[in-house]
Amino acid sequence: MKPTRSLLIVFLLPILMVLLPLFLILVLATQAIKAQSLQNYQLQSNDLNTLVQMATFDRKISDLHQRITEVLNRVAVTNLSAMQRYTEYNFINQELNKVGQSIDQLATSPLILDLSPESAVTLQRAFHQYQLFINMANGAATLNQSDPGFFLQEAHNHFSTFTLFSQQVFEELTERARDRHRDSYQVLIDLRLTTLWIGVGILALLISTAALVAWRINNRLMTVGDAILALSDSHKKLPDFHAIKRMSQRRSGSLKRVAKALMTFRDAELQRREAEHKVHRLAYYDTLTELPNWQLMKEHLARSLETSQQTSVYGALIYIDVDDFKRINDGNGHSAGDTILQHIAERLGNLEHEGCTVGRISGDEFGIIIDGLASDQHEAAGKAELFAEQVCQLLTQPYYLNGNYHFLNISQGLVLFSCPGKSVDDLFQYANAAVHIAKKTERNAIRFYDPAIQAELEARAELERDLRLAIEQQEFLLVYQMQVDNLGRPIGAEALIRWEHPSRGRISPGVFIPLAEETGLIVPIGSWVLRAACEQLVAWQAFAHTKELVLAVNVSAKQFQQPNFVQEVSHALEASGATPHLLKLELTESTVLGKVEETIERMHQLKALGISFAMDDFGTGYSSLQYLKRLPLDQIKIDQSFVRDLHQDTDDRAIVQTIIAMGRALGLSVIAEGVETVEHWRYLNEHQCHAYQGYYFCKPVAAEEMARLCLAPPPELA
């Protein structure tokens, strides 16, 4: 048999297993239902004939009885000749005999026998009694021996009895015929249902068997197909081919031949791949460390550079050079140096970073390619430097060799890549140049090729170090910007932090606050601000013109979300003795985002201490309106970006009016920051803003200057 025909039978076998038995079942079921239907029809036809005969018989015997009565009566009152009487009586006997035959035939009907054999016998007996008296009356009238009226009366009585019994039997036959028809129909229905369920069961069994056969056939074909695909894909590892091996040992025919051929092809493919792998390892991998060599690193860098240029996401090349490695070779031999290099390769291979490729460039030089750092150059540089620091920490750990510990220093050169115009050779050249610069500076140094980025990173690292020292040495101070009511009278102030650097002078919060937020140093800085503000409230309590001032303190999201923040505020109030209702915490929308329910609960806990809340920079976010009605706020603060161009931008005026109306509708006080001109103040006052803050009233000043300004008369609204 040809292979194509074999496969055709393989695919048709499950279908034939279902279709042929199903067709046979349908034929048998149809024949059985047809035979039962024919039997039902014959039964109903016979019963109907019996009922028709019964009805016809009743009508005939009634007509006959009436005629017999008329004949006998006419014979009694008229003088008929003997021949005439004989003719009439002979006709009567013939008709009675015919009726008797009909009754005998009817008595043998299956319907009457099914009803009751006694009914048939009783019916025959009643008719024979009637026939007997008719014959006696007939004989008496013919021979003129006696009065036939007596026999006629008896015949009439038996006729009445016969008629009543006949009608009763007819009704019972009708009911019985109906029951037989219903039973036969039910039998037909039951036969159909039984045939249907048996057919469904057999069909389900056939389908299950066909599915099992198809599944097994499919598994074998899939096994063969997977093996062919595995052999055709040279980039995937070859499977064990256990199923193919079992098929070649247990099966017969075409599948066995195919399985043996596949096993032969697999052995040949394994040999070819092993040879190819050896050639590839020699060409692209370092034989000592088994890391990618210089050639493969160049290819990886070329692909990374192309991807980076397409996605505009920066990558980095790190060039690692082991300092004074010649000392290891000279002092311990080249075998020790090779072992150290293997340890370095093993440590680099354990680096956990997605899109990281490690290779040995030459001698004691290694390279690392990092893909997908960031789309922002400064952020990518920061991540690359952090990764280089991890590499430095990893490789400078001691190496245990021949009973002694050896310590290494490394220099690293970094270069970012994303912009077109740079080749792979250029990147290696730049990274190598950065390594030489690192070697000349200090031990375990990390240097970028780009001087600008290097300078910025160094400045950022220096600023972070100085910021940590500033927290320890308390180089911060607070200044205060007055807040006034609609008449210009002082009602409070906002505490603003400043950093007095010992060598760089005062550093703007816009420089160090973002760094503090990023590094988490904002939490200790915020704690210091809270304590200093409470102490200032206590100092102002000693003077009548400042004891009612409410001091607003900005709280960052990280500080507010600290688990012990409520206890920290409570402790600061108790330790300083400050009045809680004079302390106001200003939150931004970022504080509320995220853990909303936890934030609301924490605000209620602080409200229970007597502290008030203001929503700072209101209108610049996207979600405050959603939670505004649920937050226990006392005040919302119009951001200065909406106040600055109030008389030039109609959108700003509309936003300001909306915020004031919203605050008034929710029962919240509204304060506007950034009020720098009398026009700002006049417009806001006309639209019923409650409080104001800005350079027009007071610049951020020291606490003593703030106290003096409170004694000055308020400005007049011209």
Side-chain angles (χ1 to χ4, degrees), residues 597-671:
E597 300 300 332
E598 182 180 335
T599 299
I600 295 175
E601 181 182 358
R602 190 165 296 172
M603 291 177 68
H604 280 294
Q605 293 175 359
L606 293 170
K607 289 280 288 186
L609 300 177
I611 297 172
S612 59
F613 285 96
M615 177 66 75
D616 194 14
D617 300 335
F618 186 79
T620 59
Y622 300 97
S623 60
S624 61
L625 297 180
Q626 181 180 357
Y627 306 110
L628 184 61
K629 61 181 181 180
R630 298 182 57 197
L631 299 176
L633 295 172
D634 301 279
Q635 190 179 64
I636 54 178
K637 198 169 189 179
I638 303 175
D639 187 70
Q640 61 181 346
S641 62
F642 302 125
V643 179
R644 184 183 304 112
D645 300 325
L646 200 57
H647 290 284
Q648 301 176 3
D649 196 325
T650 57
D651 292 338
D652 287 344
R653 290 197 295 270
I655 293 173
V656 168
Q657 294 176 23
T658 301
I659 294 175
I660 295 173
M662 184 184 305
R664 187 165 55 251
L666 295 176
L668 300 177
S669 172
V670 180
I671 181 172

Side-chain angles (χ1 to χ4, degrees), residues 27-298:
V27 171
L28 295 177
T30 303
Q31 292 296 329
I33 294 174
K34 182 178 179 181
Q36 184 63 36
S37 300
L38 183 60
Q39 183 180 353
N40 290 351
Y41 171 78
Q42 189 66 37
L43 177 65
Q44 294 173 17
S45 179
N46 293 337
D47 291 347
L48 182 60
N49 289 335
T50 301
L51 293 176
V52 171
Q53 290 177 7
M54 192 71 182
T56 305
F57 162 73
D58 287 340
R59 180 177 55 79
K60 286 182 178 181
I61 196 169
S62 297
D63 295 340
L64 180 60
H65 177 69
Q66 183 178 2
R67 183 173 179 182
I68 291 172
T69 303
E70 291 175 356
V71 169
L72 292 177
N73 289 334
R74 190 168 66 250
V75 170
V77 298
T78 60
N79 293 322
L80 296 175
S81 63
M83 182 58 68
Q84 290 177 335
R85 287 195 300 271
Y86 177 79
T87 300
E88 290 290 340
Y89 296 150
N90 186 44
F91 175 78
I92 291 173
N93 287 331
Q94 290 179 357
E95 292 297 322
L96 285 174
N97 290 332
K98 290 181 180 179
V99 172
Q101 292 176 0
S102 298
I103 291 176
D104 294 338
Q105 183 180 0
L106 189 62
T108 60
S109 171
L111 180 60
I112 295 182
L113 294 176
D114 184 56
L115 175 64
S116 174
E118 291 80 9
S119 298
V121 174
T122 303
L123 186 64
Q124 287 176 317
R125 186 184 300 116
F127 178 77
H128 290 159
Q129 290 292 328
Y130 168 73
Q131 186 180 18
L132 177 62
F133 281 98
I134 290 296
N135 289 334
M136 292 175 67
N138 187 17
T142 304
L143 301 176
N144 291 322
Q145 295 176 352
S146 61
D147 185 11
F150 171 76
F151 298 104
L152 184 61
Q153 181 63 37
E154 288 297 324
H156 181 75
N157 293 335
H158 283 286
F159 174 77
S160 299
T161 302
F162 173 80
T163 302
L164 292 174
F165 184 75
S166 175
Q167 291 177 354
Q168 181 181 356
V169 170
F170 180 78
E171 292 176 356
E172 291 177 353
L173 288 177
T174 303
E175 185 67 25
R176 184 56 184 164
R178 185 184 300 111
D179 294 340
R180 283 160 59 91
H181 173 66
R182 182 171 59 252
D183 294 340
S184 64
Y185 181 77
Q186 185 62 42
V187 170
L188 179 61
I189 295 298
D190 293 341
L191 177 61
R192 291 179 179 177
L193 290 177
T194 303
T195 305
L196 175 62
W197 284 114
I198 293 176
V200 170
I202 296 175
L203 180 61
L205 179 62
L206 292 174
I207 291 177
S208 301
T209 305
L212 178 61
V213 172
W215 176 74
R216 296 188 62 182
I217 293 174
N218 180 70
N219 281 351
R220 294 170 187 171
L221 293 178
M222 288 296 295
T223 301
V224 173
D226 292 341
I228 294 173
L229 289 176
L231 290 172
S232 63
D233 192 349
S234 59
H235 299 288
K236 290 185 178 180
K237 182 181 178 181
L238 283 177
D240 295 328
F241 278 24
H242 291 312
I244 298 295
K245 187 175 182 180
R246 289 195 301 269
M247 192 181 300
S248 65
Q249 295 172 349
R250 300 179 183 178
R251 300 296 169 190
S252 60
S254 300
L255 283 177
K256 183 175 184 178
R257 293 195 299 272
V258 171
K260 286 186 175 181
L262 288 174
M263 292 299 298
T264 303
F265 291 155
R266 177 183 179 273
D267 295 338
E269 180 66 13
L270 276 176
Q271 295 176 2
R272 187 192 67 80
R273 291 190 181 188
E274 287 177 0
E276 186 180 59
H277 180 70
K278 290 179 180 179
V279 173
H280 184 269
R281 296 290 301 181
L282 291 174
Y284 291 101
Y285 286 87
D286 178 57
T287 56
L288 177 65
T289 62
E290 297 186 355
L291 292 177
N293 60 13
W294 162 255
Q295 184 64 33
L296 187 55
M297 287 293 288
K298 288 180 65 176

Side-chain angles (χ1 to χ4, degrees), residues 102 137 262 290 310 325 366 516 572 648 654 692 705:
S102 298
L262 288 174
E290 297 186 355
Q310 292 175 353
F325 188 75
F366 296 84
Q648 301 176 3
Y692 313 91
E705 181 65 21

Side-chain angles (χ1 to χ4, degrees), residues 557-620:
K558 288 186 178 180
Q559 182 184 4
F560 187 82
Q561 291 168 0
Q562 295 298 310
N564 62 338
F565 180 71
V566 177
Q567 292 77 7
E568 181 182 354
V569 175
S570 177
H571 179 72
L573 291 171
E574 292 177 1
S576 62
T579 304
H581 75 270
L582 296 179
L583 179 64
K584 178 171 62 178
L585 301 182
E586 291 191 357
L587 308 177
T588 59
E589 294 182 16
S590 60
T591 307
V592 180
L593 292 177
K595 303 177 180 179
V596 179
E597 300 300 332
E598 182 180 335
T599 299
I600 295 175
E601 181 182 358
R602 190 165 296 172
M603 291 177 68
H604 280 294
Q605 293 175 359
L606 293 170
K607 289 280 288 186
L609 300 177
I611 297 172
S612 59
F613 285 96
M615 177 66 75
D616 194 14
D617 300 335
F618 186 79
T620 59

